[in-house]
């Protein structure tokens, strides 16, 4: 059984996130989604202004039909080193320092890395500004 991992914040779950899960699941048989803990998002991305708590974000992600398991994480390098999986499905925007370290760990562990394209025209930030208008 091929296990796929994808990771992220997933605040205000939207079509771009669901499309990511659909494409990631198609790469294997079992999809694990790691949701970043709010304290860490606020620490490393102070402009993020999270609307949903860690628990709310996990609940929504877990309700999507392509998601088999939801876990939480603090840093991408930590979770990529910890879990048992075969393929890391990442977004093209996932390239900060911790993610660079995560990619190195994936390489060392023989994990295949697949970069999936983003869905154009939608993001959590965009949804927040739509609501604000
Ligand atoms: N993603 C995607 N298509 C979008 C938005 C996000 O495929 N339109 C993917 C990202 O590439 C990443 C994952 O979803 O792999 C989690 O991204 P996240 O940062 O939580 O979502 P965004 O909507 O980009 O959030 P923000 O606007 O706060 O950056």
């Amino acid at each position: 059984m091929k296990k796929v991992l994808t990771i992220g914040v997933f605040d205000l779950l939207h079509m771009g996130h669901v499309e990511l899960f659909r494409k990631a699941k198609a790469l294997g048989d079992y999809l694990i989604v790691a949701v970043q803990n709010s304290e860490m998002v606020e620490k490393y991305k102070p402009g993020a202004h999270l609307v949903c708590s860690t628990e709310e974000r996990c609940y929504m992600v877990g309700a999507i039909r392509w998601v088999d398991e939801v876990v939480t994480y603090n840093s991408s390098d930590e979770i990529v080193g910890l879990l048992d999986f075969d393929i890391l499905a990442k977004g093209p925007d996932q390239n900060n320092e911790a993610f660079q370290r995560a990619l190195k760990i994936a390489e060392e562990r023989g994990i295949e890395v697949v970069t999936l394209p983003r869905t154009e025209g939608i993001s959590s930030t965009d949804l927040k500004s739509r609501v604000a208008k």
Side-chain angles (χ1 to χ4, degrees):
M1 185 166 75
K2 267 197 176 175
K3 287 188 177 184
V4 184
L5 171 71
T6 197
I7 80 171
V9 179
F10 309 110
D11 195 23
L12 294 179
L13 200 71
H14 57 68
M15 196 181 148
H17 296 144
V18 176
E19 273 296 283
L20 171 76
F21 301 152
R22 185 184 64 76
K23 291 178 217 157
K25 179 63 178 274
L27 298 171
D29 310 295
Y30 187 87
L31 177 62
I32 307 168
V33 180
V35 173
Q36 192 168 29
N37 281 309
S38 293
E39 306 81 72
M40 302 312 280
V41 178
E42 276 148 15
K43 186 168 169 189
Y44 292 110
K45 220 174 150 188
H49 302 300
L50 287 177
V51 173
C52 301
S53 67
T54 308
E55 292 71 25
E56 288 168 330
R57 290 180 288 119
C58 288
Y59 180 90
M60 295 304 290
V61 167
I64 302 300
R65 73 170 81 163
W66 292 289
V67 178
D68 297 293
E69 187 178 340
V70 183
V71 297
T72 58
Y73 73 97
N74 290 323
S75 68
S76 36
D77 49 341
E78 182 192 50
I79 196 74
V80 165
L82 211 66
L83 291 182
D84 174 30
F85 65 104
D86 307 285
I87 300 171
L88 175 63
K90 66 179 272 301
D93 52 316
Q94 293 185 311
N95 51 22
N96 64 17
E97 265 180 44
F99 215 91
Q100 294 297 334
R101 288 196 296 275
L103 291 179
K104 206 158 171 272
I105 293 165
E107 193 188 333
E108 284 160 10
R109 296 185 64 197
I111 288 162
E112 184 187 346
V113 177
V114 178
T115 303
L116 295 172
R118 278 175 72 92
T119 301
E120 293 302 317
I122 186 123
S123 70
S124 300
T125 306
D126 178 50
L127 279 182
K128 284 166 205 174
S129 57
R130 283 196 225 171
V131 171
K133 276 184 202 152

